[in-house]
Every structure is written in structure tokens, then in C-alpha cells.
């Protein structure tokens, strides 16, 4: 059976509907950076997602090509994730989506090296006839965080974040958001197929002891 990150690392992908403190270990990702409204039809965000999945599935299916990755095992492509911020804004202003900066990511298995990644970017660009050069191999070390499962539309996230903040204040922690430690979302639902009221999104914030 193919390795499934969501099942093997359930702690990080399926949190409860109440806040919890976790220490997230370092991991490697396919990443594309950009800015602007994620809902813009054909915009930078949607192009970034296309590039991410093109590279992700090229790596996943590499075993069917002449290119062999050392230590490869079959796996399920992990969920799409995103790191979000707005310049000069401590909390996210959902009414100003055009001001978003983002790093969209998909987690990589540990056996994928920079060499393998470079091969996948080049191969995906040729096979899909699209420019995947914006994709980068990125290691992220989140460390100490608070997380919760948010149910419903993205615009309703502030209420869930408020619950997280109350939890932190009651338990001796505080947010540690910065230019390198960012608001993090993991998308556990396919927004194209699931109605917005049933969307499941992991919200994760970096924290420190108060």
C-alpha cells in the first residue's frame, strides 16, 4: 500500500477542533512564492498551484520512467499547503486579498534530493508544456506551534484564530509570527468538489512561551 503522509503523520494533518501545541519537525517541500488574490482567475496563485502539482506528480510517477530515485517508495501526494502574510499587518485582513503574499507548498518524501527535484522540474516543464521554473526545493523547520482544524470558508478563519489566541493566553504561550514564521494552512478538502461549509483546513501558528 502506498505511503500516506496524512495517515502516517496524523498528528500534523488531522488535529482536533480545539487548539493543541505541537512541535513540527523539519521537512522538505516543493514551493512556489508569489503575491496577489488567490481567487483571481488564471492569476499567479492558480499558476503556482499548477506548477506545484506538475512537479509533485512527476516525482510520484518517476518509477515508471528511466529516471530512478534512490530509496524511492510509492506514496500518496500530500495535501496542498500555504504560508500567508501581508506587509505591515499582524493579523490577516481577508477583505484585502490582493495584498496577500504566499508560499504555496507540497511536502516531499525524504528520499527526494535536490538533484531529483531539478530533474522533476525540467521533466514536468517539457511534458506539461508549462514553465515550472518557479518551483523551488525548500526546507521548512516550523518548530513549536499551535494548531487547530477549521471547518468552513476561509473568510471565517478569524473566529477560529481567536479561539487559538485565547488558548495561548490561558496556557502561557503567545504567537511568534514574524517574517520567517508565518500563518500556515493545510487544505484537507478539495475546494472544487466540496461545498465551502464542509471545507477542512488545518490552521497552524508559530508560538513561544509567554
Amino acid at each position: 500500500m502506498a505511503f500516506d503522509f496524512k495517515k502516517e503523520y496524523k498528528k500534523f494533518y488531522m488535529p482536533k477542533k480545539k487548539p493543541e501545541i505541537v512541535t513540527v519537525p523539519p521537512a522538505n517541500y516543493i514551493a512556489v512564492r508569489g503575491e496577489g488574490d488567490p481567487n483571481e482567475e488564471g492569476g499567479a496563485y492558480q499558476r503556482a498551484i499548477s506548477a506545484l502539482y506538475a512537479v509533485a506528480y512527476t516525482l510520484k510517477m518517476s518509477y515508471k520512467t528511466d529516471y530512478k530515485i534512490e530509496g524511492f517508495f510509492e506514496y500518496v501526494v500530500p495535501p496542498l499547503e500555504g504560508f500567508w502574510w501581508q506587509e505591515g499587518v499582524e493579523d490577516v485582513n481577508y477583505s484585502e486579498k490582493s495584498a496577500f503574499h504566499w508560499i504555496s507548498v507540497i511536502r516531499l518524501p525524504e528520499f527526494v534530493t535536490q538533484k531529483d527535484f531539478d530533474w522533476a522540474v525540467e521533466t514536468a516543464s517539457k511534458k506539461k508544456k508549462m514553465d515550472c521554473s518557479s518551483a523551488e526545493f525548500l526546507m521548512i523547520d516550523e518548530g513549536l506551534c499551535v494548531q487547530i482544524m477549521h471547518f468552513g470558508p476561509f473568510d471565517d478563519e478569524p473566529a477560529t484564530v481567536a479561539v487559538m489566541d485565547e488558548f495561548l493566553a490561558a496556557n502561557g504561550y503567545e504567537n511568534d509570527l514574524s517574517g520567517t514564521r508565518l500563518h500556515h494552512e493545510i487544505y484537507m478538502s478539495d475546494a472544487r468538489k466540496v461545498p465551502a461549509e464542509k471545507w477542512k483546513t488545518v490552521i497552524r501558528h508559530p508560538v513561544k512561551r509567554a
Side-chain angles (χ1 to χ4, degrees), residues 42-54:
Y45 182 77
Q46 294 187 7
R47 295 195 302 273
I49 301 309
S50 295
L52 281 177
Y53 278 108

Side-chain angles (χ1 to χ4, degrees), residues 137-157:
F137 184 91
L138 183 65
M139 191 281 286
I140 299 174
D141 185 0
E142 289 190 85
L144 192 66
C145 296
V146 61
Q147 66 179 18
I148 192 172
M149 183 68 83
H150 169 75
F151 292 86
F154 303 132
D155 286 353
D156 293 348
E157 286 184 12

Side-chain angles (χ1 to χ4, degrees), residues 32-44:
V32 178
R33 303 170 188 265
E35 56 187 82
D37 187 344
N39 297 324
E40 180 187 350
E41 193 67 36

Side-chain angles (χ1 to χ4, degrees), residues 128-205:
K128 302 290 185 181
K129 293 182 171 58
M130 60 185 292
D131 183 8
C132 295
S133 62
S134 59
E136 62 180 283
F137 184 91
L138 183 65
M139 191 281 286
I140 299 174
D141 185 0
E142 289 190 85
L144 192 66
C145 296
V146 61
Q147 66 179 18
I148 192 172
M149 183 68 83
H150 169 75
F151 292 86
F154 303 132
D155 286 353
D156 293 348
E157 286 184 12
T160 301
V161 170
V163 172
M164 295 167 69
D165 291 344
E166 290 173 10
F167 170 83
L168 294 178
N171 288 275
Y173 293 92
E174 62 185 26
N175 282 304
D176 192 26
L177 293 158
S178 68
T180 56
R181 306 192 76 204
L182 302 166
H183 173 92
H184 183 185
E185 299 178 358
I186 305 176
Y187 309 108
M188 302 303 295
S189 305
D190 187 337
R192 299 167 301 175
K193 301 176 181 178
V194 179
E197 63 270 18
K198 294 185 178 180
W199 289 352
K200 293 191 295 184
T201 306
V202 180
I203 301 178
R204 186 181 293 161
H205 281 177

Side-chain angles (χ1 to χ4, degrees), residues 6 30-32 45-61 75-82 104-108 117 120-121 123-125 127-128 130-132 134-135 186-192:
K6 300 187 299 297
I30 312 165
V32 178
Y45 182 77
Q46 294 187 7
R47 295 195 302 273
I49 301 309
S50 295
L52 281 177
Y53 278 108
V55 176
Y57 277 94
T58 298
L59 286 164
K60 171 184 167 61
M61 304 307 294
Y75 63 97
V76 177
V77 171
L80 176 68
E81 309 182 35
S104 294
V105 303
I106 294 176
R107 185 171 177 172
L108 289 168
F117 182 85
V121 170
T123 301
S125 296
K127 186 174 181 181
K128 302 290 185 181
M130 60 185 292
D131 183 8
C132 295
S134 59
I186 305 176
Y187 309 108
M188 302 303 295
S189 305
D190 187 337
R192 299 167 301 175

